[in-house]
Amino acid sequence: MRRNRIGFTLIELLVVIAIIAILIALLVPAVQKVREAAARTQCINNMKQIGIALHGYHDANKQLPSSEFHPNGTKPVKWNWIPKILSHADQDPLHRQLNFTINGDLAPNYALLSKPFPLFLCPANPFALVMREEETHLAPNFVLSQSDYAANAGDYQNASGVGAKPDYGNLSYANGEVRGVMGRWGWAANIANIADGTSNTIAVGECVGAFCITQNLASQCWGTTAHPINYMNDSLANNLPTQGNPRWDESIGFRSYHMGGANFLFCDGTVRFLDQNIDMVSYRALASRANNEAVTLP
Amino acid sequence: MIVLSVFLALGMGCQQSAPMARVTGTVSLDGKPIKKGTVRFESTGRPATGRIENGAIVEVTTFKDTDGALIGTHKVAFWAFGDVAPGDANYMSSKSILPEKYNNPDTSGAVVEIKSGVNTVDFKLVTK
């Protein structure tokens, strides 16, 4: 029997719609995965550029950049380490405009640094272009660009990284007891200080989220391996920071918006993605620069 | 189609999860509760971290916030810092109030067995 018909039956339409729905359901997560992978690759590239700039700075100054300047050799001036490497990261015109004899968050430096710098932002960060107010300064007066890339201050749960010898103040710049390669303020290693080997020591890791209140291009930017990677990300990475972050000691762990781990720049210039389930013994060993540990990464 | 959708639903619903257990307890130093600090349980898997608040261990977290610790034997490390006045720029380098050996799970000497269910663990730390 042969029918002459115009159009489709309801069943045919439902079947076609269902097939399209299944295809879209398969496609959408795939697109999302590709976007995530692209963001991770971009992030690795940012870190690689930072690594090249750090080595350029080290070549010129025989030391990694410390989060501080000593213009007169006496009173230290508060600065993040990042502006120091700008001239090695294709930002020499900006570097020349900054006044390094006064604090980084004072005019005219403030105006120059209160815009996002994509090189220091992870594209996976949903808040990358959201300008943050600085701790103890209320917006909109001190809104500064944050950095998602934090210097490795060590493996202890405070900024000094010296455990039982906590009298190391942030401002005593001569002190070399920082367990990482760049302290919160005041001290930075040179390659000779990295006795564990530059390929076994983290230089810079990702640190995003609540800690950004104290972490910007003008003052400081550091993290430690005291906590597992991405520890408490649910509450610490996905919220905008608040003034006087009461959980700073938990926020200082390296964390990222990437699934399952975070990117790390090592002192030899390589960038590796570390799994967030890395065992803590290895992870701590990667942060300490001279603790006689042998670590082999897979 | 129905078969396919049932298959997909089953396939996506099956996610392996490691056995976890809730952990609570107390931490004291020389008999006095530690006001604020961190306690970490390290085993072969991802370590669990808890906060110490007024002597009590709260919010022990491994993978997702407050999900507890992996079941098994854990070495335990402790962190606690002294009070710093609000607004003190040095607060992030505040003094450790614990002997350094407690900062490392290999030297702290504290080992606990986490079993399924709710675990209550008490640690009595001493300064020497």
Coordinates of all heavy atoms in Angstrom, one line a residue, chain A residues 28-121:
Chain A
V28 N 28.1 18.9 23.8 CA 28.4 20.0 24.7 C 29.5 19.7 25.7 O 30.4 20.5 25.9 CB 27.0 20.4 25.4 CG1 27.3 21.3 26.6 CG2 26.1 21.0 24.5
P29 N 29.5 18.5 26.4 CA 30.6 18.3 27.3 C 32.0 18.2 26.6 O 33.0 18.7 27.1 CB 30.3 16.9 27.9 CG 28.8 16.7 27.7 CD 28.5 17.4 26.4
A30 N 31.9 17.8 25.3 CA 33.2 17.7 24.6 C 33.7 19.1 24.3 O 34.9 19.4 24.5 CB 33.0 17.0 23.3
V31 N 32.8 20.0 24.0 CA 33.2 21.4 23.8 C 33.8 22.0 25.1 O 34.8 22.7 25.1 CB 32.0 22.3 23.2 CG1 32.4 23.7 23.3 CG2 31.7 21.8 21.8
Q32 N 33.1 21.7 26.2 CA 33.5 22.2 27.5 C 34.9 21.7 27.8 O 35.8 22.4 28.3 CB 32.5 21.8 28.5 CG 32.7 22.5 29.8 CD 32.6 24.0 29.7 OE1 31.8 24.5 28.8 NE2 33.4 24.7 30.4
K33 N 35.2 20.4 27.5 CA 36.5 19.8 27.8 C 37.6 20.5 26.9 O 38.7 20.8 27.4 CB 36.5 18.3 27.4 CG 35.9 17.5 28.5 CD 36.8 16.2 28.7 CE 36.3 15.4 29.9 NZ 35.1 14.7 29.6
V34 N 37.2 20.8 25.7 CA 38.2 21.5 24.8 C 38.5 22.9 25.3 O 39.7 23.3 25.3 CB 37.7 21.5 23.3 CG1 38.6 22.4 22.5 CG2 37.6 20.2 22.8
R35 N 37.5 23.6 25.8 CA 37.7 24.9 26.3 C 38.6 24.8 27.6 O 39.5 25.7 27.7 CB 36.4 25.6 26.7 CG 35.5 26.0 25.5 CD 34.1 26.4 26.0 NE 34.2 27.5 26.9 CZ 34.1 28.8 26.5 NH1 33.9 29.1 25.3 NH2 34.1 29.7 27.4
E36 N 38.4 23.8 28.4 CA 39.2 23.7 29.6 C 40.7 23.4 29.2 O 41.6 24.0 29.8 CB 38.7 22.5 30.5 CG 37.7 23.0 31.5 CD 37.1 21.8 32.3 OE1 37.7 20.8 32.4 OE2 35.9 22.0 32.7
A37 N 40.8 22.5 28.2 CA 42.2 22.2 27.8 C 42.9 23.4 27.2 O 44.1 23.6 27.5 CB 42.1 21.1 26.8
A38 N 42.1 24.2 26.5 CA 42.7 25.4 25.9 C 43.1 26.4 27.0 O 44.2 27.0 26.9 CB 41.7 26.1 25.0
A39 N 42.3 26.5 28.0 CA 42.6 27.4 29.1 C 43.9 26.9 29.8 O 44.8 27.7 30.2 CB 41.5 27.5 30.1
R40 N 44.0 25.6 30.0 CA 45.2 25.0 30.7 C 46.4 25.3 29.9 O 47.5 25.6 30.4 CB 45.0 23.5 30.9 CG 45.8 23.0 32.1 CD 45.3 21.7 32.5 NE 45.3 20.7 31.5 CZ 44.3 19.9 31.1 NH1 43.1 20.1 31.7 NH2 44.4 19.1 30.1
T41 N 46.3 25.1 28.6 CA 47.5 25.4 27.7 C 47.9 26.8 27.7 O 49.1 27.1 27.8 CB 47.1 25.0 26.2 OG1 46.6 23.6 26.3 CG2 48.3 25.0 25.4
Q42 N 46.9 27.7 27.7 CA 47.2 29.1 27.8 C 47.9 29.5 29.1 O 48.9 30.2 29.1 CB 45.9 29.9 27.6 CG 46.1 31.4 27.8 CD 46.8 32.0 26.6 OE1 46.5 31.7 25.4 NE2 47.8 32.9 26.8
C43 N 47.4 28.8 30.2 CA 48.0 29.0 31.5 C 49.5 28.6 31.5 O 50.3 29.3 32.0 CB 47.2 28.3 32.5 SG 47.7 28.4 34.2
I44 N 49.7 27.4 30.9 CA 51.1 26.9 30.9 C 52.0 27.8 30.1 O 53.1 28.1 30.5 CB 51.1 25.5 30.2 CG1 50.5 24.4 31.2 CG2 52.5 25.1 29.8 CD1 50.2 23.1 30.6
N45 N 51.4 28.4 29.0 CA 52.2 29.3 28.2 C 52.5 30.6 29.1 O 53.7 31.1 29.0 CB 51.4 29.7 27.0 CG 52.3 30.5 26.0 OD1 53.4 30.2 25.7 ND2 51.7 31.7 25.6
N46 N 51.6 31.1 29.8 CA 51.8 32.3 30.7 C 53.0 32.0 31.6 O 53.9 32.8 31.8 CB 50.6 32.6 31.5 CG 49.5 33.3 30.7 OD1 49.7 33.6 29.5 ND2 48.3 33.4 31.2
M47 N 52.9 30.8 32.2 CA 53.9 30.4 33.2 C 55.3 30.3 32.5 O 56.3 30.7 33.1 CB 53.6 29.1 33.9 CG 52.5 29.3 34.9 SD 52.4 27.8 35.9 CE 52.1 28.6 37.5
K48 N 55.3 29.7 31.3 CA 56.6 29.6 30.6 C 57.2 30.9 30.4 O 58.4 31.1 30.6 CB 56.3 28.9 29.3 CG 57.5 28.5 28.5 CD 58.2 27.3 29.1 CE 59.5 27.0 28.5 NZ 60.2 25.9 29.2
Q49 N 56.3 31.9 30.0 CA 56.8 33.3 29.8 C 57.4 33.9 31.0 O 58.4 34.6 31.1 CB 55.7 34.2 29.2 CG 55.2 33.8 27.8 CD 56.3 33.8 26.8 OE1 57.2 34.6 26.8 NE2 56.3 32.8 25.9
I50 N 56.7 33.6 32.2 CA 57.1 34.1 33.4 C 58.5 33.5 33.8 O 59.4 34.2 34.3 CB 56.1 33.9 34.5 CG1 54.8 34.7 34.3 CG2 56.6 34.1 35.9 CD1 53.7 34.3 35.2
G51 N 58.6 32.2 33.5 CA 59.9 31.5 33.7 C 61.0 32.1 32.9 O 62.1 32.3 33.5
I52 N 60.8 32.4 31.7 CA 61.8 33.1 30.8 C 62.2 34.4 31.4 O 63.4 34.8 31.5 CB 61.3 33.2 29.4 CG1 61.2 31.8 28.8 CG2 62.2 34.0 28.6 CD1 60.5 31.7 27.5
A53 N 61.1 35.2 31.8 CA 61.4 36.5 32.4 C 62.2 36.4 33.7 O 63.1 37.2 34.0 CB 60.1 37.2 32.6
L54 N 61.9 35.4 34.5 CA 62.6 35.2 35.8 C 64.1 34.9 35.5 O 65.0 35.4 36.2 CB 62.0 34.0 36.6 CG 60.7 34.3 37.4 CD1 60.2 33.0 38.0 CD2 60.9 35.3 38.4
H55 N 64.3 34.0 34.5 CA 65.7 33.7 34.2 C 66.4 35.0 33.6 O 67.6 35.2 33.9 CB 65.8 32.6 33.2 CG 65.7 31.2 33.9 ND1 66.9 30.5 34.2 CD2 64.7 30.6 34.5 CE1 66.5 29.4 34.8 NE2 65.2 29.4 35.0
G56 N 65.7 35.8 32.8 CA 66.3 37.0 32.3 C 66.6 37.9 33.5 O 67.7 38.5 33.5
Y57 N 65.7 38.0 34.5 CA 66.0 38.9 35.6 C 67.2 38.3 36.4 O 68.1 39.1 36.8 CB 64.8 38.9 36.5 CG 64.9 39.8 37.7 CD1 64.5 41.1 37.7 CD2 65.5 39.3 38.9 CE1 64.7 42.0 38.8 CE2 65.7 40.1 40.0 CZ 65.3 41.5 39.9 OH 65.5 42.3 41.0
H58 N 67.2 37.0 36.5 CA 68.4 36.4 37.3 C 69.7 36.6 36.6 O 70.7 36.9 37.2 CB 68.1 34.9 37.5 CG 69.1 34.2 38.4 ND1 70.3 33.8 38.0 CD2 69.0 33.9 39.7 CE1 71.0 33.3 39.0 NE2 70.2 33.3 40.0
D59 N 69.7 36.5 35.2 CA 70.9 36.8 34.5 C 71.4 38.2 34.8 O 72.6 38.4 34.9 CB 70.7 36.6 33.0 CG 70.7 35.2 32.6 OD1 71.0 34.3 33.5 OD2 70.3 34.8 31.5
A60 N 70.5 39.2 34.8 CA 70.9 40.5 35.0 C 71.2 40.9 36.4 O 72.1 41.8 36.7 CB 69.7 41.5 34.5
N61 N 70.6 40.2 37.4 CA 70.7 40.7 38.8 C 71.4 39.6 39.7 O 71.5 39.9 40.9 CB 69.3 41.0 39.4 CG 68.7 42.2 38.6 OD1 69.0 43.3 38.9 ND2 67.8 41.9 37.7
K62 N 71.7 38.4 39.1 CA 72.3 37.3 39.9 C 71.4 36.9 41.1 O 71.9 36.5 42.1 CB 73.7 37.7 40.4 CG 74.6 38.3 39.3 CD 74.9 37.2 38.3 CE 75.7 37.8 37.1 NZ 75.1 37.4 35.8
Q63 N 70.1 37.1 41.0 CA 69.2 36.8 42.1 C 67.8 36.8 41.5 O 67.5 37.5 40.6 CB 69.3 37.8 43.2 CG 68.5 37.4 44.4 CD 68.3 38.6 45.4 OE1 68.4 39.7 45.0 NE2 68.1 38.3 46.6
L64 N 66.9 35.9 42.0 CA 65.5 36.0 41.6 C 64.9 37.3 42.2 O 65.4 37.8 43.2 CB 64.7 34.7 42.1 CG 65.1 33.5 41.4 CD1 64.5 32.3 42.1 CD2 64.7 33.5 39.9
P65 N 63.8 37.7 41.7 CA 63.2 39.0 42.2 C 62.6 38.8 43.6 O 61.8 37.9 43.8 CB 62.1 39.4 41.2 CG 61.8 38.1 40.5 CD 63.0 37.2 40.5
S66 N 62.9 39.6 44.5 CA 62.2 39.6 45.8 C 61.1 40.5 45.8 O 61.0 41.4 45.1 CB 63.2 39.9 46.9 OG 63.6 41.3 46.8
S67 N 60.1 40.3 46.8 CA 58.9 41.1 46.8 C 59.2 42.4 47.6 O 58.5 42.7 48.5 CB 57.8 40.3 47.5 OG 57.4 39.3 46.6
E68 N 60.2 43.1 47.2 CA 60.6 44.3 48.0 C 61.7 45.0 47.2 O 62.4 44.4 46.4 CB 61.1 43.9 49.3 CG 61.0 44.9 50.4 CD 61.2 44.2 51.7 OE1 62.3 43.7 51.9 OE2 60.3 44.1 52.5
F69 N 61.8 46.3 47.5 CA 62.9 47.0 46.9 C 63.6 47.7 48.0 O 63.0 48.0 49.1 CB 62.4 48.1 45.9 CG 62.1 47.5 44.6 CD1 60.8 47.0 44.3 CD2 63.0 47.5 43.5 CE1 60.5 46.5 43.1 CE2 62.7 47.0 42.3 CZ 61.5 46.5 42.1
H70 N 64.9 48.0 47.8 CA 65.6 48.7 48.8 C 66.3 49.9 48.1 O 67.5 49.8 47.9 CB 66.7 47.8 49.5 CG 66.0 46.5 50.0 ND1 65.2 46.5 51.1 CD2 66.0 45.3 49.4 CE1 64.8 45.2 51.2 NE2 65.3 44.5 50.2
P71 N 65.5 50.9 47.8 CA 66.1 52.0 47.0 C 67.3 52.7 47.6 O 68.2 53.0 46.9 CB 64.9 52.9 46.7 CG 63.9 52.6 47.8 CD 64.1 51.1 48.2
N72 N 67.2 52.8 48.9 CA 68.3 53.6 49.5 C 69.2 52.6 50.4 O 70.0 53.1 51.1 CB 67.8 54.7 50.4 CG 66.8 55.6 49.6 OD1 67.1 55.9 48.5 ND2 65.7 55.9 50.2
G73 N 68.9 51.4 50.3 CA 69.6 50.4 51.2 C 69.2 50.4 52.6 O 69.7 49.7 53.4
T74 N 68.2 51.2 52.9 CA 67.7 51.3 54.3 C 66.3 50.8 54.4 O 66.0 49.6 54.6 CB 67.8 52.7 54.9 OG1 67.2 53.6 54.0 CG2 69.3 53.1 55.0
K75 N 65.3 51.7 54.3 CA 64.0 51.3 54.5 C 63.4 50.6 53.3 O 63.5 51.1 52.2 CB 63.1 52.6 54.8 CG 61.7 52.3 55.3 CD 61.1 53.6 55.8 CE 59.7 53.4 56.4 NZ 58.7 52.9 55.4
P76 N 62.9 49.4 53.5 CA 62.4 48.7 52.3 C 61.1 49.2 51.8 O 60.3 49.8 52.6 CB 62.2 47.2 52.9 CG 62.1 47.4 54.3 CD 62.8 48.6 54.7
V77 N 60.9 49.1 50.5 CA 59.7 49.6 49.9 C 58.9 48.4 49.4 O 59.4 47.5 48.8 CB 60.1 50.5 48.7 CG1 58.8 50.9 48.0 CG2 60.8 51.7 49.2
K78 N 57.6 48.4 49.8 CA 56.8 47.2 49.5 C 56.5 47.1 48.0 O 55.9 48.1 47.4 CB 55.5 47.3 50.3 CG 55.6 46.5 51.6 CD 54.3 46.7 52.4 CE 53.1 46.0 51.7 NZ 51.9 46.3 52.5
W79 N 56.8 46.0 47.4 CA 56.5 45.7 46.0 C 56.3 44.3 45.8 O 57.0 43.5 46.4 CB 57.6 46.2 45.1 CG 57.5 47.6 44.7 CD1 58.1 48.7 45.2 CD2 56.8 48.1 43.5 NE1 57.8 49.8 44.5 CE2 57.0 49.5 43.5 CE3 56.0 47.4 42.5 CZ2 56.4 50.2 42.5 CZ3 55.5 48.2 41.5 CH2 55.7 49.6 41.5
N80 N 55.4 43.9 44.9 CA 55.4 42.5 44.5 C 56.6 42.2 43.6 O 57.3 43.2 43.1 CB 54.1 42.4 43.6 CG 53.8 41.0 43.3 OD1 54.7 40.1 43.2 ND2 52.6 40.7 43.1
W81 N 57.0 41.0 43.5 CA 58.1 40.6 42.7 C 57.8 40.7 41.2 O 58.7 40.9 40.4 CB 58.6 39.2 43.0 CG 57.5 38.1 42.8 CD1 56.6 37.7 43.8 CD2 57.2 37.4 41.7 NE1 55.7 36.8 43.3 CE2 56.1 36.5 42.0 CE3 57.7 37.3 40.4 CZ2 55.5 35.6 41.1 CZ3 57.1 36.4 39.5 CH2 56.0 35.6 39.9
I82 N 56.5 40.7 40.8 CA 56.2 40.7 39.4 C 56.6 41.9 38.6 O 57.2 41.8 37.6 CB 54.7 40.3 39.2 CG1 54.5 38.9 39.5 CG2 54.2 40.7 37.8 CD1 53.0 38.4 39.5
P83 N 56.4 43.1 39.2 CA 56.8 44.3 38.4 C 58.3 44.3 38.1 O 58.7 44.9 37.1 CB 56.4 45.5 39.3 CG 55.2 44.9 40.0 CD 55.6 43.5 40.3
K84 N 59.1 43.6 38.9 CA 60.5 43.6 38.7 C 60.9 42.9 37.4 O 61.9 43.2 36.8 CB 61.2 42.9 39.8 CG 61.3 43.7 41.2 CD 62.2 43.0 42.1 CE 62.4 43.8 43.3 NZ 63.4 43.2 44.3
I85 N 60.1 42.0 37.0 CA 60.4 41.2 35.8 C 59.7 41.7 34.6 O 59.9 41.2 33.5 CB 60.1 39.7 36.0 CG1 58.6 39.4 36.1 CG2 60.9 39.1 37.1 CD1 58.2 38.0 36.0
L86 N 59.0 42.8 34.7 CA 58.2 43.3 33.6 C 59.1 43.7 32.4 O 58.7 43.4 31.2 CB 57.4 44.6 34.0 CG 56.1 44.3 34.8 CD1 55.5 45.6 35.2 CD2 55.1 43.5 34.0
S87 N 60.3 44.2 32.7 CA 61.2 44.6 31.5 C 61.7 43.3 30.8 O 62.2 43.4 29.7 CB 62.3 45.5 32.0 OG 63.0 44.8 33.0
H88 N 61.6 42.2 31.5 CA 62.0 40.9 30.8 C 60.8 40.2 30.2 O 61.0 39.1 29.7 CB 62.7 40.0 31.8 CG 63.9 40.7 32.4 ND1 65.2 40.7 31.8 CD2 64.1 41.3 33.5 CE1 66.1 41.3 32.5 NE2 65.4 41.7 33.6
A89 N 59.6 40.8 30.3 CA 58.4 40.2 29.8 C 57.7 41.1 28.8 O 56.5 41.2 28.8 CB 57.5 39.8 30.9
D90 N 58.5 41.8 28.0 CA 58.0 42.7 26.9 C 57.1 43.8 27.5 O 56.3 44.3 26.8 CB 57.1 41.9 26.0 CG 57.9 41.1 25.0 OD1 59.1 41.4 24.9 OD2 57.4 40.2 24.3
Q91 N 57.4 44.2 28.7 CA 56.6 45.4 29.3 C 57.6 46.4 29.8 O 57.4 47.1 30.8 CB 55.8 44.9 30.5 CG 54.7 43.9 30.1 CD 53.5 44.7 29.4 OE1 53.4 45.9 29.5 NE2 52.7 43.9 28.7
D92 N 58.7 46.6 29.0 CA 59.7 47.6 29.5 C 59.1 49.0 29.6 O 59.5 49.7 30.5 CB 60.9 47.5 28.6 CG 62.1 48.2 29.2 OD1 62.3 48.0 30.4 OD2 62.8 48.9 28.5
P93 N 58.3 49.5 28.6 CA 57.7 50.8 28.8 C 57.0 51.0 30.1 O 57.1 52.0 30.7 CB 56.8 50.9 27.6 CG 57.3 50.0 26.6 CD 57.9 48.8 27.4
L94 N 56.2 50.0 30.5 CA 55.5 50.1 31.8 C 56.5 50.1 32.9 O 56.4 50.9 33.9 CB 54.6 48.9 31.9 CG 53.9 48.8 33.3 CD1 53.0 50.0 33.5 CD2 53.0 47.5 33.3
H95 N 57.5 49.2 32.8 CA 58.5 49.1 33.9 C 59.2 50.5 34.1 O 59.5 50.9 35.2 CB 59.5 48.1 33.5 CG 60.6 47.8 34.5 ND1 61.8 48.3 34.5 CD2 60.5 47.0 35.6 CE1 62.5 47.9 35.6 NE2 61.7 47.0 36.3
R96 N 59.5 51.2 33.0 CA 60.1 52.5 33.1 C 59.3 53.5 33.8 O 59.8 54.5 34.4 CB 60.5 53.0 31.7 CG 61.7 52.3 31.1 CD 61.7 52.6 29.6 NE 62.6 51.7 28.9 CZ 63.9 52.1 28.6 NH1 64.3 53.2 29.0 NH2 64.7 51.2 28.0
Q97 N 57.9 53.4 33.6 CA 57.0 54.4 34.2 C 56.9 54.2 35.7 O 56.4 55.1 36.4 CB 55.7 54.4 33.6 CG 55.6 54.9 32.1 CD 54.3 54.7 31.5 OE1 53.3 55.3 32.0 NE2 54.2 54.0 30.5
L98 N 57.1 53.0 36.2 CA 56.9 52.8 37.6 C 57.9 53.4 38.5 O 59.1 53.5 38.1 CB 56.9 51.2 37.9 CG 55.7 50.5 37.2 CD1 56.0 49.0 37.3 CD2 54.4 50.8 37.9
N99 N 57.5 53.9 39.6 CA 58.5 54.6 40.5 C 58.8 53.6 41.7 O 58.0 53.4 42.6 CB 57.8 55.9 41.1 CG 58.8 56.6 42.1 OD1 59.8 56.1 42.4 ND2 58.4 57.8 42.5
F100 N 60.0 53.0 41.6 CA 60.3 52.0 42.5 C 60.9 52.5 43.8 O 61.4 51.7 44.6 CB 61.3 51.0 41.9 CG 60.6 50.1 40.8 CD1 61.0 50.2 39.5 CD2 59.6 49.3 41.1 CE1 60.4 49.4 38.5 CE2 59.0 48.5 40.2 CZ 59.4 48.6 38.9
T101 N 60.9 53.8 44.0 CA 61.4 54.3 45.3 C 60.3 54.5 46.3 O 60.5 54.9 47.4 CB 62.1 55.7 45.1 OG1 61.1 56.6 44.6 CG2 63.3 55.6 44.1
I102 N 59.0 54.3 45.9 CA 57.9 54.3 46.8 C 57.1 53.0 46.7 O 57.3 52.3 45.8 CB 57.0 55.6 46.5 CG1 56.5 55.5 45.1 CG2 57.7 56.9 46.9 CD1 55.5 56.5 44.8
N103 N 56.2 52.8 47.6 CA 55.4 51.6 47.6 C 54.6 51.4 46.3 O 54.3 52.4 45.6 CB 54.4 51.6 48.7 CG 55.0 51.3 50.1 OD1 56.3 51.2 50.2 ND2 54.2 51.1 51.1
G104 N 54.4 50.1 45.9 CA 53.7 49.8 44.7 C 52.3 50.3 44.6 O 51.7 50.4 43.5
D105 N 51.6 50.5 45.8 CA 50.2 50.8 45.7 C 50.0 52.4 45.9 O 48.9 52.8 46.2 CB 49.4 50.0 46.7 CG 49.9 50.2 48.1 OD1 50.8 51.0 48.4 OD2 49.3 49.6 49.0
L106 N 51.1 53.1 45.8 CA 51.0 54.6 45.9 C 51.0 55.2 44.4 O 51.6 54.6 43.5 CB 52.1 55.2 46.7 CG 52.1 54.7 48.2 CD1 53.3 55.3 48.9 CD2 50.8 55.1 48.9
A107 N 50.4 56.4 44.3 CA 50.4 57.1 43.0 C 51.9 57.4 42.7 O 52.6 57.7 43.6 CB 49.6 58.3 43.1
P108 N 52.3 57.4 41.5 CA 51.6 57.0 40.3 C 51.5 55.5 40.0 O 50.9 55.1 39.0 CB 52.4 57.7 39.2 CG 53.8 57.6 39.7 CD 53.7 57.7 41.2
N109 N 52.2 54.7 40.8 CA 52.2 53.3 40.5 C 50.9 52.7 40.5 O 50.6 51.8 39.7 CB 53.1 52.6 41.6 CG 54.5 53.2 41.6 OD1 55.0 53.6 40.5 ND2 55.1 53.2 42.7
Y110 N 50.0 53.1 41.5 CA 48.7 52.5 41.6 C 47.9 52.6 40.3 O 47.4 51.6 39.8 CB 48.0 53.3 42.7 CG 46.5 53.1 42.7 CD1 45.9 51.8 42.9 CD2 45.6 54.1 42.3 CE1 44.6 51.6 42.9 CE2 44.3 53.9 42.2 CZ 43.8 52.6 42.5 OH 42.4 52.4 42.4
A111 N 47.9 53.8 39.6 CA 47.2 53.9 38.4 C 47.7 53.0 37.3 O 47.0 52.4 36.5 CB 47.2 55.4 37.9
L112 N 49.0 52.8 37.3 CA 49.6 52.0 36.2 C 49.3 50.5 36.4 O 49.3 49.7 35.5 CB 51.1 52.2 36.2 CG 51.6 53.6 35.8 CD1 53.1 53.8 36.2 CD2 51.3 53.8 34.3
L113 N 49.1 50.1 37.7 CA 48.9 48.7 38.0 C 47.5 48.3 38.2 O 47.2 47.1 38.5 CB 49.7 48.3 39.2 CG 51.2 48.4 39.1 CD1 51.9 48.2 40.4 CD2 51.8 47.5 38.0
S114 N 46.5 49.2 38.1 CA 45.1 48.9 38.3 C 44.4 48.6 37.0 O 43.4 49.1 36.7 CB 44.4 50.0 39.1 OG 44.5 51.2 38.4
K115 N 45.0 47.7 36.3 CA 44.4 47.2 35.1 C 44.8 45.7 34.9 O 46.0 45.4 35.4 CB 44.6 48.0 33.8 CG 46.1 48.0 33.4 CD 46.2 48.8 32.1 CE 47.5 48.6 31.4 NZ 48.5 49.6 31.7
P116 N 44.0 44.9 34.4 CA 44.4 43.4 34.3 C 45.6 43.2 33.3 O 45.6 43.8 32.3 CB 43.2 42.7 33.8 CG 42.1 43.7 33.9 CD 42.7 45.1 33.8
F117 N 46.5 42.4 33.7 CA 47.6 42.0 32.9 C 47.4 40.5 32.5 O 47.7 39.6 33.4 CB 49.0 42.2 33.6 CG 49.3 43.6 33.8 CD1 48.9 44.3 35.0 CD2 49.9 44.4 32.8 CE1 49.2 45.6 35.1 CE2 50.2 45.7 33.0 CZ 49.8 46.3 34.1
P118 N 47.0 40.2 31.3 CA 46.7 38.8 30.9 C 47.8 37.8 31.2 O 47.6 36.7 31.5 CB 46.4 38.9 29.4 CG 46.0 40.3 29.2 CD 46.8 41.1 30.2
L119 N 49.1 38.3 31.1 CA 50.2 37.4 31.3 C 50.2 36.8 32.7 O 50.6 35.7 32.9 CB 51.5 38.1 31.1 CG 52.8 37.3 31.3 CD1 52.9 36.1 30.4 CD2 54.0 38.2 31.1
F120 N 49.6 37.5 33.7 CA 49.7 37.0 35.1 C 48.3 36.5 35.5 O 48.0 36.4 36.7 CB 50.2 38.1 36.0 CG 51.5 38.7 35.6 CD1 51.6 39.9 35.0 CD2 52.6 37.9 35.6 CE1 52.8 40.4 34.6 CE2 53.8 38.3 35.2 CZ 54.0 39.6 34.7
L121 N 47.4 36.2 34.5 CA 46.1 35.7 34.9 C 45.8 34.4 34.2 O 46.2 34.3 33.0 CB 45.0 36.8 34.5 CG 45.1 38.1 35.2 CD1 44.2 39.1 34.5 CD2 44.7 37.9 36.7

